C-alpha cells in the first residue's frame, strides 16, 4: 500500500539526488544525499523539514506552485480563491463538452503554516514537464486571475538550469513542520479551506499533456510579463500621522518651482492607486505648501479635489511612482 511519504516522493520530488533541510533559525542547507521515502517519513514526523529543488538536471518539473504570503498580500485567502477559480473555470472544448481548465484532482491547497493565512497552491503533473512550459502555465493563470506576479511568488522561477546555476529554487514540501514559525503544514479543502487528513494526497493525480499540447507550450515565447487589468482599491484609508509626516518631509525636499506641478500630480495619482484617503492626501499637500511657502496653495488644494472627484476614470494611465522617481532624478537638489 502506498504511504503518504511515498505519495510525496512521487508527486513532488523531481530531483532525487539531494534536498534542502530547513534550519531551526531560518534558511536551508543543501543535503548531498538522495531523497527517499524514509527521508520524507522523517519530514512528516517533524524530525526534519525538507525543501525540494524543483528542477531536475534536465530542467523538468513535477508541479507549479503559487506562494501566497500575508507579508506581501493584504488578503492571501482572497488571492487563493481567484487562482482556484481560474483553474476550475469550465470551457467548452472542440467536442462541445465543458471541462475545467485544470481538474481539481490535480490541485492541492496547502496552509504552509496552519492556521496562518499563508498558502501554497500546487498544480501537479502526471509526468515531469519542461520548466519553461510549467512557468508559462503559471504566469498565464496569474494573468487570467488579474494578479501581480510581484506579489504572488511563482515556482518555477527559472525556465531551465544552466552552467551558471546547477540548482533551481526550492520549496518546503507540504505536511511538514515550519521550524521557525513552529507550525505545521496542512492540506485544505479547495472550497471551505478547512484542514483535511494527510492521506488526501493519496487521491491526487496530476494533469497530463498530449505531445501536441506539450510542443505547443514549448513553442510559445517565454512569458516575461503579466498583463493584469488595473483596478482601484475598494477602500481608501487614511495614513497614520507619522506616515503623513514622513511623506510631507520627502515631498517638501523636491517641492521646487520647476518640479512641484509634476510632483503633486504624480503624488495624487499614486494616492488614488494605493488607496490613500482624500483627507490624508489633502492634509499632506496643505502641510507641504505651508512648509515651502507655496504661493499657489489654493490651486494645489483644488487639484486634490479635482483628482479625487474626476481623475479615477484614467485608471492605470494616472501618473504615479514612476513620475515621482523622474522628479527626484531630475532635481538639482544636492
Amino acid at each position: 500500500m502506498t504511504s503518504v511519504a511515498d505519495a510525496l516522493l512521487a508527486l513532488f520530488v523531481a530531483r532525487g539526488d539531494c534536498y534542502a533541510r530547513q534550519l531551526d533559525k531560518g534558511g536551508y542547507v543543501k543535503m548531498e544525499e538522495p531523497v527517499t521515502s524514509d527521508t520524507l517519513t522523517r519530514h512528516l514526523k517533524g524530525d526534519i523539514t525538507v525543501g525540494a529543488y524543483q528542477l531536475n538536471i534536465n530542467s523538468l518539473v513535477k508541479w507549479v506552485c503559487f506562494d501566497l504570503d500575508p507579508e506581501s498580500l493584504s488578503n492571501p485567502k482572497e488571492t487563493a480563491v481567484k487562482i482556484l477559480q481560474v483553474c476550475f473555470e469550465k470551457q467548452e472544448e472542440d467536442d462541445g463538452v465543458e471541462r475545467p481548465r485544470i481538474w481539481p484532482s490535480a490541485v492541492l491547497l496547502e496552509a504552509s503554516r496552519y492556521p496562518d493565512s499563508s498558502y501554497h497552491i500546487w498544480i501537479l503533473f502526471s509526468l515531469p514537464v519542461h520548466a519553461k512550459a510549467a512557468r508559462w502555465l503559471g504566469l498565464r493563470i496569474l494573468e487570467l486571475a488579474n494578479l501581480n506576479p510581484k506579489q504572488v511568488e511563482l515556482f518555477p522561477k527559472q525556465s531551465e538550469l544552466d552552467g551558471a546555476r546547477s540548482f533551481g529554487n526550492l520549496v518546503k514540501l507540504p505536511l511538514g513542520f515550519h521550524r521557525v514559525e513552529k507550525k505545521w503544514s496542512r492540506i485544505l479543502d479547495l472550497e471551505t479551506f478547512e484542514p483535511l487528513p494527510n492521506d488526501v494526497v493519496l487521491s491526487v493525480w496530476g494533469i497530463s499533456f498530449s505531445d501536441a499540447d506539450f510542443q505547443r507550450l514549448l513553442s510559445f515565447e517565454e512569458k516575461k510579463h503579466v498583463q493584469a487589468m488595473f483596478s482601484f482599491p475598494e477602500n481608501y484609508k487614511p495614513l497614520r500621522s507619522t506616515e503623513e509626516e514622513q511623506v510631507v518631509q520627502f515631498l517638501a525636499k523636491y517641492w521646487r518651482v520647476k518640479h512641484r506641478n509634476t510632483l503633486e500630480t504624480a503624488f495624487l495619482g499614486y494616492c488614488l492607486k494605493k488607496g490613500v484617503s482624500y483627507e490624508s492626501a489633502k492634509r499632506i499637500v496643505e502641510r507641504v505648501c505651508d512648509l515651502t511657502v507655496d504661493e499657489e496653495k489654493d490651486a494645489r488644494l483644488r487639484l486634490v479635489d479635482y483628482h479625487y472627484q474626476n481623475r479615477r476614470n484614467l485608471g492605470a494611465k494616472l501618473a504615479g511612482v514612476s513620475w515621482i522617481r523622474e522628479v527626484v532624478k531630475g532635481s538639482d537638489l544636492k
Side-chain angles (χ1 to χ4, degrees), residues 2 30 33 49 56 63 65 78 87 90 95 102 105 112 127 154 159 177 193 197 201 249 272 307 326:
T2 302
K30 182 156 67 74
E33 59 187 43
T49 302
N56 71 12
W63 39 265
C65 180
E78 180 181 275
C87 289
K90 291 187 176 181
D95 59 4
I102 306 290
S105 56
S112 59
L127 294 172
L154 171 67
S159 293
F177 184 67
F193 281 65
V201 298
Q249 295 302 322
L272 285 172
H307 263 73
E326 288 301 314

Side-chain angles (χ1 to χ4, degrees), residues 264 267 281-289 300-301 304:
E264 184 187 13
F267 168 67
K282 193 160 190 174
R283 279 194 298 268
I284 289 169
V285 171
E286 185 171 18
R287 173 90 171 113
V288 171
C289 288
R300 305 267 176 242
L301 296 178
V304 178

Side-chain angles (χ1 to χ4, degrees), residues 94-318:
D94 293 341
D95 59 4
V97 177
E98 287 191 344
R99 296 182 178 89
R101 185 174 282 112
I102 306 290
W103 289 99
S105 56
V107 179
L108 281 176
L109 172 63
E110 175 203 4
S112 59
R113 48 184 198 242
Y114 185 81
D116 292 357
S117 56
S118 178
Y119 304 107
H120 289 159
I121 297 176
W122 305 84
I123 298 176
L124 303 162
F125 304 121
S126 60
L127 294 172
V129 304
H130 198 282
K132 177 185 176 182
R135 183 164 173 78
W136 191 97
L137 176 64
L139 288 172
R140 179 58 177 157
I141 288 172
L142 290 180
E143 192 168 53
L144 292 171
N146 194 29
L147 293 171
N148 187 341
K150 293 181 179 179
Q151 294 178 300
V152 177
E153 196 170 9
L154 171 67
F155 296 86
K157 293 188 174 184
Q158 305 86 22
S159 293
E160 61 182 352
L161 300 179
D162 54 35
R165 182 165 190 168
S166 55
F167 292 87
N169 289 89
L170 64 92
V171 180
K172 179 172 68 69
L173 291 181
L175 303 179
F177 184 67
H178 197 297
R179 313 204 80 77
V180 178
E181 300 295 334
K182 309 300 182 188
K183 295 175 181 177
W184 285 91
S185 155
R186 299 294 302 273
I187 302 299
L188 305 181
D189 184 276
L190 294 168
E191 294 182 358
T192 67
F193 281 65
E194 292 298 318
L196 298 171
N198 287 358
D199 61 6
V200 69
V201 298
L202 301 178
S203 59
V204 172
W205 62 89
I207 58 173
S208 59
F209 298 103
S210 67
D211 288 342
D213 286 340
F214 182 63
Q215 292 303 320
R216 184 166 172 263
L217 282 172
L218 286 179
S219 71
F220 291 156
E221 183 176 347
E222 184 174 347
K223 266 187 174 294
K224 298 184 183 297
H225 305 286
V226 169
Q227 299 296 324
M229 293 177 60
F230 177 80
S231 59
F232 283 105
E234 293 182 4
N235 299 307
Y236 283 76
K237 300 178 181 179
L239 299 177
R240 295 191 294 267
S241 58
T242 54
E243 293 173 327
E244 287 187 8
E245 186 58 27
Q246 288 174 349
V247 176
V248 166
Q249 295 302 322
F250 171 80
L251 292 176
K253 288 196 301 183
Y254 302 98
W255 204 265
R256 307 294 182 85
V257 173
K258 292 192 298 182
H259 304 297
R260 61 194 183 190
N261 291 337
T262 301
L263 187 55
E264 184 187 13
T265 299
F267 168 67
L268 293 174
Y270 178 80
C271 287
L272 285 172
K273 290 178 176 179
K274 293 298 182 180
V276 177
S277 72
Y278 163 79
E279 292 78 12
S280 266
K282 193 160 190 174
R283 279 194 298 268
I284 289 169
V285 171
E286 185 171 18
R287 173 90 171 113
V288 171
C289 288
D290 290 341
L291 277 179
T292 60
V293 195
D294 188 339
E295 70 280 3
E296 297 179 346
K297 176 180 175 180
D298 290 343
R300 305 267 176 242
L301 296 178
R302 286 196 297 272
L303 188 60
V304 178
D305 295 339
Y306 179 77
H307 263 73
Y308 275 80
Q309 292 171 9
N310 303 302
R311 301 282 284 181
R312 284 169 54 89
N313 62 336
L314 290 179
K317 294 181 181 179
L318 275 168

Side-chain angles (χ1 to χ4, degrees), residues 23-49:
L23 302 174
D24 290 343
K25 56 186 176 182
Y28 287 81
V29 60
K30 182 156 67 74
M31 307 298 293
E32 299 282 2
E33 59 187 43
V35 189
T36 65
S37 290
D38 288 340
T39 308
L40 298 183
T41 297
R42 296 180 65 201
H43 170 81
L44 292 167
K45 290 179 178 179
D47 297 336
I48 61 173
T49 302

Side-chain angles (χ1 to χ4, degrees), residues 40-77:
L40 298 183
T41 297
R42 296 180 65 201
H43 170 81
L44 292 167
K45 290 179 178 179
D47 297 336
I48 61 173
T49 302
V50 173
Y53 292 102
Q54 185 176 12
L55 280 71
N56 71 12
I57 59 174
N58 297 313
S59 298
L60 301 180
V61 302
K62 288 188 173 183
W63 39 265
V64 168
C65 180
F66 302 95
D67 187 1
L68 316 178
D69 285 327
E71 291 80 10
S72 57
L73 293 164
S74 59
N75 193 333
K77 183 176 181 180

